[in-house]
Amino acid sequence: MSDISARLASELNAQQQQVVAATKLLDEGATVPFIARYRKEVTGGLDDTQLRLLEQRLSYLRELEERRSFILSTIESQKKLTAELKADITSAQSKTELEDLYLPYKAKRRTKGQIAIEAGIEPLADALFTDASLNPEQHAEQYINADKGFDDTKAVLDGAKFILMERFAEDAKLLAKLRSHISQNGAIQSTVIKGQEQAGTKYRDYFDHQELLTKVPSHRALAMLRARNEGILQLNVNPEPSSENPAQLCANMIAQHYRLNITDQAASTWLLSVVQWAWKIKLGLHLENEFFAAMREKAEAGAIDVFAKNLKDLLMAAPAGPRTTLGLDPGLRTGCKIAVVDSTGKLLTTQTIFPHAPQNHWDKSLRTLEQLCRQHKVELIAIGNGTASRESDKLVAELMKANTELKLNKIMVSEAGASVYSASEFAANEFPDLDVSLRGAVSIARRLQDPLAELVKIEPKSIGVG
């Protein structure tokens, strides 16, 4: 625990005793808001931002330590835990690094490489890997084993190739080196799947698109991933877009990592095919899936952050205050729904008018509005910004012009979520006898009076901020 608290203290720019105190409170069931407001003297004044980060990172680091202990005990039970491997596992700072180190020791299904090892071909793989001057075909002859399915030199060499490929794919240091290179230099490439051009017109900007991984904003990343899930786009990670042959560049990186001679010796051609296939079949696909998962996670976090900021701006919008308000929910065929609420938000009356096509009862609607405004001493008119909002705004403008003594003010209000509210259990409890279509007009009026008080009744995903 002391290692975790020391690390958290460094990340939060706080004292270790502050972290220990906050951790104790969290473990006792206290929430972040409660600690931030009522336990400042215990935590030494840690603010809510620091506490949220502490809660998130504490969970991650504890899971990391649990996984580290499991991996150490598992490898030790296999009697394969060397001092060097133990030091690497103990010093691993992330789950990704830890899983890379554990990869060779994980229980896995029977692979082609394992089948070749069982047939006794591993010594050949080791010999060709160590000494590129050996002739692969000649040395493979002594490992032919028809009973095990290796009845010629080609099958034997393929078995040796699978052994090395799987070994490369489980090398934590090689994975880290390739991952680092791709994260700094790689690009995401998107191309349209043949025949999907019409179905995916909204994604046409990505039909032939390439962008550095370090530069992809969250909204573009999510759009491309969504199009891939819908079968519109094919996505790939190009490890080095500036190279004419990125796959060969990565194969060369693998060869350099193991100091393999793939140029002018007897086994060079065979070793070159091994590293090329290791990249194409094992490492390339593994890292590509990993980068897509990381990109989605990062993009979703960014999108949620934008959503939260937009939601905060909307909820904290300046209220019009306690003034009698007429809410107008515009519509064409079904008419405009009207609700008048008093200064406390209490519903006074409702009405439906039909000023627009096809009924076109313009003058009658003006008279109804005038009567309602005079009767209830309306000060504000909130107009929903949906269908027929411009026509309804024109109607209210004419009302105001003809009745200046009423001293009315009109404001266009977002009606996002009003229909969701009107059909919700909350609205049914508030207005059990009111028609669903009229409840939306009440919401429009109230959200002008006090946006926060009204919008908290609606699920954030329905408010139209992201």
Side-chain angles (χ1 to χ4, degrees):
M1 177 60 203
S2 60
D3 289 343
I4 292 178
S5 59
R7 185 168 172 183
L8 286 170
S10 175
E11 291 179 8
L12 296 171
N13 194 24
Q15 299 296 319
Q16 190 168 345
Q17 58 264 33
Q18 291 178 285
V19 171
V20 172
T23 300
K24 186 169 184 258
L25 289 167
L26 288 168
D27 288 341
E28 289 171 353
T31 63
V32 167
F34 176 83
I35 297 170
R37 291 191 65 180
Y38 304 115
R39 292 294 180 269
K40 287 181 180 179
E41 74 285 354
V42 178
T43 65
L46 290 179
D47 62 31
D48 59 315
T49 303
Q50 289 175 304
L51 288 166
R52 275 193 298 273
L53 181 58
L54 187 150
E55 186 179 39
Q56 292 166 5
R57 292 290 292 154
L58 179 64
S59 175
Y60 178 90
L61 293 175
R62 282 178 169 172
E63 288 172 7
L64 181 68
E65 291 308 314
E66 286 178 17
R67 187 63 175 163
R68 194 194 312 275
S69 298
F70 171 79
I71 288 171
L72 283 169
S73 62
T74 301
I75 299 175
E76 191 169 20
S77 69
Q78 297 173 7
K79 302 190 184 307
K80 295 178 181 178
L81 187 63
T82 63
E84 183 184 359
L85 178 58
K86 185 176 182 179
D88 287 341
I89 292 173
T90 304
S91 62
Q93 297 295 302
S94 70
K95 290 180 182 179
T96 300
E97 190 179 349
L98 205 55
E99 294 303 328
D100 284 350
L101 291 165
Y102 181 46
L103 204 54
Y105 309 96
K106 258 185 180 177
K108 53 179 79 75
R109 59 184 175 79
R110 202 156 165 261
T111 63
K112 291 180 179 179
Q114 287 175 315
I115 293 169
I117 290 172
E118 291 166 8
I121 296 173
E122 190 170 21
L124 173 65
D126 291 337
L128 294 173
F129 176 77
T130 306
D131 187 358
S133 65
L134 299 177
N135 185 297
E137 285 74 17
Q138 287 180 4
H139 279 73
E141 289 177 1
Q142 57 189 295
Y143 293 92
I144 292 174
N145 186 341
D147 293 339
K148 297 283 188 177
F150 297 89
D151 46 14
D152 57 26
T153 57
K154 181 182 182 305
V156 170
L157 287 172
D158 282 346
K161 177 165 72 174
F162 284 117
I163 291 171
L164 292 180
M165 282 169 57
E166 290 173 17
R167 191 179 296 174
F168 296 167
E170 295 174 347
D171 186 328
K173 291 180 180 176
L174 175 61
L175 281 165
K177 190 178 290 185
L178 290 167
R179 188 182 291 116
S180 175
H181 177 85
I182 296 171
S183 64
Q184 293 173 36
N185 304 288
I188 183 171
Q189 291 179 324
S190 65
T191 52
V192 64
I193 294 172
K194 191 173 180 181
Q196 295 297 318
E197 291 84 356
Q198 285 297 112
T201 50
K202 65 180 178 180
Y203 299 114
R204 58 181 174 274
D205 290 345
Y206 307 109
F207 282 1
D208 185 14
H209 180 74
Q210 178 170 288
E211 189 168 7
L212 289 175
L213 290 169
T214 54
K215 304 287 187 182
V216 184
S218 61
H219 66 279
R220 282 208 289 272
L222 290 174
M224 285 186 276
L225 290 167
R226 190 162 55 246
R228 182 182 69 161
N229 292 340
E230 292 175 11
I232 304 298
L233 295 181
Q234 172 74 41
L235 298 186
N236 300 101
V237 171
N238 185 335
E240 183 57 80
S242 63
S243 170
E244 292 183 5
N245 191 341
Q248 186 57 50
L249 182 142
C250 292
N252 290 340
M253 286 180 67
I254 298 170
Q256 289 166 11
H257 177 76
Y258 293 110
R259 296 183 175 85
L260 297 177
N261 188 333
I262 56 172
T263 54
D264 56 5
Q265 297 200 56
S268 295
T269 302
W270 182 80
L271 284 171
L272 177 61
S273 73
V274 172
V275 294
Q276 287 175 333
W277 277 91
W279 168 255
K280 183 178 179 181
I281 303 299
K282 294 283 186 181
L283 291 157
L285 291 174
H286 171 79
L287 289 171
E288 185 172 82
N289 290 334
E290 187 180 285
F291 274 104
F292 282 143
M295 186 171 74
R296 176 181 291 282
E297 187 177 337
K298 182 181 175 183
E300 287 179 345
I304 289 169
D305 187 50
V306 171
F307 180 91
K309 288 176 181 174
N310 291 345
L311 181 61
K312 181 180 178 182
D313 289 344
L314 187 60
L315 293 177
M316 300 308 292
R323 301 160 75 181
T324 305
T325 304
L326 183 150
L328 192 155
D329 187 0
L332 293 172
R333 182 182 57 81
T334 57
C336 297
K337 309 300 186 293
I338 292 171
V340 180
V341 298
D342 69 11
S343 59
T344 66
K346 179 184 175 183
L347 178 63
L348 299 175
T349 187
T350 60
Q351 186 67 266
T352 303
I353 58 175
F354 298 88
H356 313 307
Q359 292 90 344
N360 294 311
H361 298 161
W362 188 269
D363 292 337
K364 182 179 178 182
S365 298
L366 279 172
R367 288 194 298 272
T368 301
L369 285 172
E370 181 186 352
Q371 181 185 355
L372 288 171
C373 290
R374 290 187 184 280
Q375 181 182 349
H376 299 289
K377 296 182 172 56
V378 171
E379 299 175 72
L380 299 173
I381 298 181
I383 306 168
N385 65 346
T387 303
S389 60
R390 281 179 293 186
E391 294 87 341
S392 299
D393 184 68
K394 184 179 176 184
L395 176 75
V396 174
E398 188 170 324
L399 169 72
M400 292 168 60
K401 185 177 180 181
N403 301 275
T404 54
E405 73 282 2
L406 293 175
K407 298 181 180 178
L408 296 168
N409 286 298
K410 64 180 176 70
I411 301 170
M412 193 73 72
V413 174
S414 169
E415 63 177 43
S419 58
V420 172
Y421 161 77
S422 63
S424 70
E425 185 179 354
F426 200 108
N429 290 333
E430 276 196 292
F431 306 108
D433 301 322
L434 189 63
D435 186 83
V436 171
S437 60
L438 290 165
R439 292 172 186 167
V442 179
S443 178
I444 289 170
R446 285 176 169 179
R447 64 178 62 184
L448 176 59
Q449 287 181 322
D450 190 344
L452 180 59
E454 191 62 24
L455 293 173
V456 292
K457 301 173 184 176
I458 304 166
E459 281 189 293
K461 67 182 181 181
S462 301
I463 300 180
V465 291

